[in-house]
Amino acid sequence: MAATSQYLTLGLAGETFGISIRNVREILDMRPISRLPHAPNFLLGMIDVRGSGYPIVDLRTKLGLPSIAVTEATRIIILDVPMKDRLVGVGFVADCVFEVTDIDEQAIEPIPEVGGTWQSDYAVGIGRKGEKFVVIFDLAKLMANDRIPDRRDAGADAPRAA
């Protein structure tokens, strides 16, 4: 019997990413975000959710992707992110949220080593859902890395395979 785990799948720049459902607190419609002066540019600011403040991270900026306008599908995903031996509540802005899905843990492949400077240290591996590939986030590494890829080096304007 194959061991499966549940992942929240979300869309960014036409690609599908997954976050372990164990880390997901809730999914919110986009709302106004209070800016924080002198914050890193991937940190959009803070929001209040039932009396608790959450920092909001723009996943596109964090991954070196170009910004886009907010749409009806844009969501804020409130997560428990492991940071320095504790869980911290953080909101991630995603282009859209697809579904909670089962992914076979045995079928998660390591990130391919193809040489060059592919920015992939934020991922645990690549899972499959049918014919689609799902890049599984490693939240601790994603948030530990404060380097924002330079868009000129990250190939943000290069065409992407579907």
Side-chain angles (χ1 to χ4, degrees):
M1 182 163 211
T4 61
S5 292
Q6 291 191 315
Y7 291 87
L8 177 70
T9 55
L10 58 110
L12 280 174
E15 304 296 333
T16 302
F17 294 86
I19 298 172
S20 173
I21 198 69
R22 293 182 310 251
N23 295 94
V24 178
R25 286 190 193 179
E26 62 185 301
I27 302 165
L28 306 169
D29 290 335
M30 194 62 178
R31 58 179 65 183
I33 299 170
S34 298
R35 301 280 176 200
L36 297 172
H38 310 293
N41 60 343
F42 64 82
L43 183 61
L44 296 175
M46 300 281 292
I47 64 169
D48 178 83
V49 179
R50 289 180 293 286
S52 295
Y54 293 94
I56 303 300
V57 171
D58 182 346
L59 276 176
R60 282 181 157 270
T61 303
K62 186 74 170 155
L63 298 176
L65 298 169
S67 295
I68 63 168
V70 170
T71 70
E72 288 289 320
T74 304
R75 296 291 182 263
I76 298 172
I77 306 164
I78 304 294
L79 302 166
D80 288 323
V81 178
M83 285 192 229
K84 299 180 182 176
D85 300 326
R86 63 188 179 107
L87 292 176
V88 177
V90 178
F92 283 7
V93 174
D95 295 353
C96 62
V97 170
F98 296 122
E99 65 180 344
V100 173
T101 189
D102 292 329
I103 295 179
D104 180 358
E105 291 292 319
Q106 306 304 318
I108 294 178
E109 302 172 21
I111 300 296
E113 293 189 30
V114 293
T117 57
W118 184 26
Q119 181 73 22
S120 63
D121 57 346
Y122 58 83
V124 171
I126 300 176
R128 288 181 183 249
K129 183 64 181 171
E131 296 294 315
K132 292 188 92 170
F133 291 100
V134 179
V135 178
I136 308 295
F137 279 126
D138 180 326
L139 295 176
K141 287 183 181 176
L142 178 64
M143 292 308 296
N145 183 0
D146 60 0
R147 179 184 167 273
I148 298 172
D150 184 340
R151 288 188 190 151
R152 292 173 303 226
D153 296 335
D157 297 323
R160 300 187 140 216

